[in-house]
Amino acid sequence: MAGGGFVVSDAPSADYGGRVTFSVVVTCLMAASGGLIFGYDIGISGGVTAMESFLAAFFPGVLRRMAAARRDQYCIYDSHSLTAFTSSLYLAGLAASLVAGRVTRAVGRQTVMLAGGALFFAGAAVNAAAVNVAMLIVGRMLLGFGIGFTNQAAPVYLAETAPPRWRGAFTAGFQLFLSVGNLAANLVNYGTSRIPTWGWRLSLGLAAAPAAVIFAGALLIPDTPSSLVLRGRAEEARAALRRVRGPKADVDAELEDVSRAVESARAHEDGAFRRILLREHRHHLAMAVAVPLFQQLTGVSVIAFFSPVFFQTAGFGSSGALMGAVILGAVNLASTLVSAAAIDRYGRRPLLLTGGFVMVICQVGVAWIMGSQIGGNGGSAMARPYSMAVLALTCVFSAAFGWSWGPLSWVIPGEIFPVEIRSAGQGISVAVNLGATFLLTQTFLATLCALKYATFVYYAAWVAVMTAFVAAFLPETKGVPLEAMDAVWERHWYWGRFVQPPPAKVAEEPAA
């Protein structure tokens, strides 16, 4: 069978009679709000680095280069200390995500989300009060710890709580809230850029608002049934299931399946991180690494972080660049809504494949325009129509990402892992995501300075590679219950060789 594109026709797809209840909607919205802090940070950090008052206070060397006779538009913002301000958060988040897996098993996903919100709140306060680069970095690291905890817990919470038939849409809520946070940050930056000397402090300090939302939301929701059963709280798990599934659901049958999966997990408690390296979990490990890594290699994060800087390079003024970032955030939010509506109707693979195709075209188009207008030495000015074309192509790119790799890079890792390695697998996935984000944000401005317009050809090549990977190796998981996910992998043309079949049941002999 060529490729990985099929749906397992006889895989279990029972939803235990559960429906989309008001309770499950509210619970999942509260959990998905964890994406707010990640999205707000992505938008806010890029915006403040384009504010002259912020640069004058902490990075005066960048302002001197902007005022100097040097005209290479690609290299004006090339500053390791400036990129360290952005990327230090993701290094801290990487470390936190690896610790969060073990912490989650001990205290539950709800508690980890509470800790993430509190740490992000503390980081926002430190950044708003910063008087030197050291305070900025400390605040960024606290933000990173908060994001590392929240990104580890929230997507898995959503996957474990949502009804199987609509799991994709509910888990995509994390990306939806991420997009809301990003758009809100860009709007804040656009407003505070008009406040001289201290507008950047307001931008950074308002990160406390999404932190308060996720903290309050986590206080109002129960832990997931799987997490409660894993910690020996079966009756609380039954109550949590009854609350989110509704009175007509077969709660006992679902709890029995969850308990069976947890018992299997307890039989392998000798180290989830060691187990995921075994041959029988080769497919899980490959997706835990490949999916988040490929998401970052689209280049979308560095474009989101540095979109004001990027648009200034493309010929927009400071105010126009910030407005361009607002438009980009709005497009991403709209396309994420489209994805949430389509993900459980059409499946994961079609969205990823179409999104990849469109992103390649857009990035090649941006490279061609910038190469022909700014030139290889960055010394030419870009005419207004071409600047608008760059904005349009970047918006289409953002839309394609928003319906494909944006939400699905959270949906897929959250649903493919068996319970015995779920926390470890999600921890690896988040760590790879944040680690790749750290490397790309730390090197993007230097890469832009070195490769010029070919930077976007570089990212287009990676999108082509990841689209081919999806076509060959990613099976469709639409509508498959978490406890029945092995059936998908068993029938895959490549991964089936690694899946261990369940042990055959031995029939009991009748009593004499």
Side-chain angles (χ1 to χ4, degrees), residues 50-407:
M51 296 182 188
E52 290 190 8
S53 58
F54 177 78
L55 294 174
F58 298 103
F59 307 101
V62 175
L63 280 181
R64 286 194 294 270
R65 280 200 297 277
M66 292 174 69
R70 183 179 178 181
R71 293 182 51 106
D72 190 342
Q73 298 295 318
Y74 296 109
C75 299
I76 287 176
Y77 290 92
D78 184 16
S79 167
H80 288 295
S81 58
L82 181 61
T83 51
F85 161 72
T86 299
S87 63
S88 57
L89 179 149
Y90 303 98
L91 191 61
L94 187 158
S97 63
L98 293 175
V99 174
R102 185 175 295 274
V103 175
T104 298
R105 289 179 65 86
V107 301
R109 312 199 190 287
Q110 178 199 32
T111 302
V112 169
M113 286 190 287
L114 285 170
L119 287 165
F120 198 87
F121 189 95
V126 172
N127 270 350
V131 295
N132 52 46
V133 174
M135 280 189 71
L136 280 179
I137 299 300
V138 169
R140 295 289 292 171
M141 292 182 71
L142 287 171
L143 295 173
F145 292 140
I147 284 177
F149 279 132
T150 305
N151 285 11
Q152 200 279 343
V156 177
Y157 185 105
L158 291 165
E160 290 182 344
T161 303
R165 187 181 301 175
W166 298 281
R167 186 178 60 243
F170 278 106
T171 310
F174 186 85
Q175 177 68 25
L176 177 63
F177 274 89
L178 191 154
S179 300
V180 170
N182 179 259
L183 177 59
N186 287 320
L187 288 169
V188 167
N189 281 335
Y190 186 74
T192 58
S193 66
R194 288 158 171 72
I195 303 176
T197 69
W198 59 273
W200 61 269
R201 291 190 185 276
L202 185 58
S203 288
L204 295 177
L206 284 175
V213 170
I214 177 58
F215 187 87
L219 284 174
L220 298 175
I221 59 178
D223 214 333
T224 68
S226 293
S227 182
L228 289 168
V229 171
L230 191 63
R231 289 178 287 137
R233 296 157 66 175
E235 286 307 310
E236 290 182 49
R238 188 188 306 277
L241 272 177
R242 188 174 291 111
R243 172 180 172 178
V244 297
R245 296 291 184 258
K248 296 183 179 180
D250 191 349
V251 170
D252 291 334
E254 183 170 0
L255 184 62
E256 183 179 348
D257 285 346
V258 170
S259 300
R260 188 181 301 114
V262 168
E263 286 304 316
S264 175
R266 286 203 178 103
H268 304 99
E269 282 183 331
D270 55 340
F273 280 101
R274 288 196 301 272
R275 286 194 56 77
I276 201 171
L277 298 176
L278 298 178
R279 175 183 170 83
E280 65 195 74
H281 293 301
R282 187 73 49 82
H283 48 300
H284 296 129
L285 180 61
M287 295 302 166
V289 173
V291 171
L293 179 62
F294 282 147
Q295 186 210 40
Q296 293 307 311
L297 287 171
T298 62
V300 69
S301 289
V302 290
I303 291 175
F305 293 136
F306 299 113
S307 55
V309 172
F310 168 63
F311 288 136
Q312 283 187 336
T313 301
F316 289 88
S318 178
S319 179
L322 289 172
M323 178 51 69
V326 171
I327 295 171
L328 205 61
V331 169
N332 186 262
L333 174 59
S335 62
T336 303
L337 287 169
V338 171
S339 179
I343 190 172
D344 289 315
R345 178 184 295 270
Y346 301 108
R348 284 69 165 144
R349 283 170 47 86
L351 297 182
L352 289 172
L353 294 173
T354 56
F357 177 75
V358 173
M359 284 190 286
V360 168
I361 293 174
C362 291
Q363 285 174 319
V364 171
V366 168
W368 178 79
I369 293 174
M370 295 189 74
S372 63
Q373 294 299 304
I374 299 179
N377 59 7
S380 303
M382 184 179 290
R384 186 70 174 177
Y386 289 98
S387 297
M388 297 304 295
V390 167
L391 175 61
L393 284 171
T394 307
C395 285
V396 175
F397 170 88
S398 181
F401 178 85
W403 81 60
S404 61
W405 283 91

Side-chain angles (χ1 to χ4, degrees), residues 167 415-417 477 480-490:
R167 186 178 60 243
E415 68 184 7
I416 64 171
F417 302 117
T477 54
V480 181
L482 298 184
E483 292 74 25
M485 199 62 68
D486 275 350
V488 174
W489 301 103
E490 286 173 8

